[in-house]
Amino acid sequence: MPDHDTDWTLTDKQSNDPDLKLVKQWLTDGQRPEYNEVSGKGFFIRSLWSQFNSLELQDDLVFRHFYDNERKVVKLQAVIPLSERKQVLHFCHDAKYAGHLGMRKTLEKIRQSYYWPGLQADVRAYVAGCDKCAMRKTPTKKKRAPMAIVETSSPMERLATDILGELPETENGNRYILVVSDYYTKWTESFLMPNMEASTVVKYNCRRGNSSIRCPVLDSL
């Protein structure tokens, strides 16, 4: 994780950021301006304006007081300008010693030292877009129905059916093809149908299965 020293030049980065330069002036003066002076500015400056009492200027760096509920201590978080946020995210998530932690742990790690308005949303988006993390995730296995052998003891006892369509309408008004196969003999036939309603399918299957005796059991493929 980067340090607050000259190697990372955070002091210079804050001083060169127009919004943080303005916040530094507020803290130097010891008071924040009226809201109408910042109401037309961006989310970053308006958020820091609302947190003015939690901000502190120390060694020319803007810090935010953060209460760590887990450790029951108040910590100082350096406020990070826009230009340096990607570097912080990299150090706390992508670097070799960062370990490509998940969203919650990466956020917790950053909060130990750094802050900017919208931090949580930025961490969530950054981790979600990490290619290495995506490759490491175990793919969700799709549940499949167990294979089963259909047992029959005589022809026309059980039929398998499938429907092809919707197709261009024929002169007789048919738009579907019903495919029927006998499980026992493997005999397969097809029929033209005007629609795919259940009553139509049953009518054609019973015709195929000699409805004067019985209507076979139908299985949809």
Side-chain angles (χ1 to χ4, degrees):
M1 189 177 295
D3 298 322
H4 308 152
D5 56 21
T6 54
D7 290 338
W8 197 40
T9 63
L10 180 56
T11 302
D12 294 335
K13 297 295 183 180
Q14 282 192 352
S15 298
N16 292 330
D17 183 87
D19 289 335
L20 282 172
K21 187 175 182 180
L22 187 59
V23 173
K24 281 187 177 184
Q25 188 60 52
W26 298 348
L27 294 172
T28 300
D29 295 342
Q31 64 179 24
R32 66 180 180 182
E34 296 295 326
Y35 181 71
N36 58 12
E37 296 183 37
V38 299
S39 60
K41 297 184 180 296
F43 169 72
F44 180 82
I45 193 71
R46 286 186 285 110
S47 179
L48 293 181
W49 181 91
S50 68
Q51 300 179 74
F52 178 80
N53 292 331
S54 297
L55 302 179
E56 176 183 331
L57 189 62
Q58 187 178 111
D59 297 328
D60 203 30
L61 276 174
V62 178
F63 289 92
R64 172 180 178 262
H65 291 268
F66 169 69
Y67 182 73
D68 189 330
N69 286 315
E70 184 177 341
R71 297 171 176 82
K72 307 300 181 183
V73 294
V74 176
K75 295 188 175 183
L76 287 179
Q77 300 170 309
V79 180
I80 304 301
L82 178 62
S83 62
E84 301 305 302
R85 293 175 194 174
K86 189 172 182 179
Q87 184 174 354
V88 172
L89 290 166
H90 170 77
F91 270 102
C92 295
H93 181 74
D94 298 332
K96 292 181 179 180
Y97 47 78
H100 284 272
L101 300 175
M103 182 270 175
R104 183 180 61 81
K105 289 186 177 180
T106 300
L107 177 62
E108 181 181 341
K109 189 172 185 178
I110 293 176
R111 279 177 170 169
Q112 297 307 307
S113 302
Y114 306 109
Y115 168 79
W116 64 84
L119 170 62
Q120 183 169 329
D122 287 349
V123 172
R124 181 181 294 109
Y126 191 85
V127 174
C130 177
D131 292 336
K132 288 187 177 180
C133 289
M135 292 175 63
R136 286 166 50 187
K137 288 183 179 178
T138 303
T140 303
K141 294 183 179 180
K142 296 182 179 179
K143 294 183 178 180
R144 296 183 179 181
M147 298 291 290
I149 298 176
V150 179
E151 297 183 357
T152 57
S153 58
S154 62
M156 302 307 299
E157 179 182 347
R158 185 180 292 270
L159 301 178
T161 63
D162 198 5
I163 298 175
L164 178 64
E166 181 176 353
L167 302 172
E169 188 173 343
T170 67
E171 294 181 357
N172 295 327
N174 294 309
R175 294 178 297 165
Y176 299 88
I177 298 176
L178 172 66
V179 180
V180 182
S181 181
D182 177 25
Y183 273 108
Y184 188 83
T185 64
K186 311 304 180 186
W187 182 266
T188 302
E189 292 188 22
S190 58
F191 304 91
L192 295 175
M193 300 190 304
N195 56 63
M196 54 187 300
E197 295 178 1
S199 58
T200 304
V201 174
V202 170
K203 180 181 71 174
Y204 279 91
N205 274 289
C206 286
R207 181 186 302 173
R208 171 67 179 82
N210 190 354
S211 59
S212 62
I213 302 175
R214 61 183 171 84
C215 188
V217 176
L218 305 180
D219 287 344
S220 297
L221 295 178

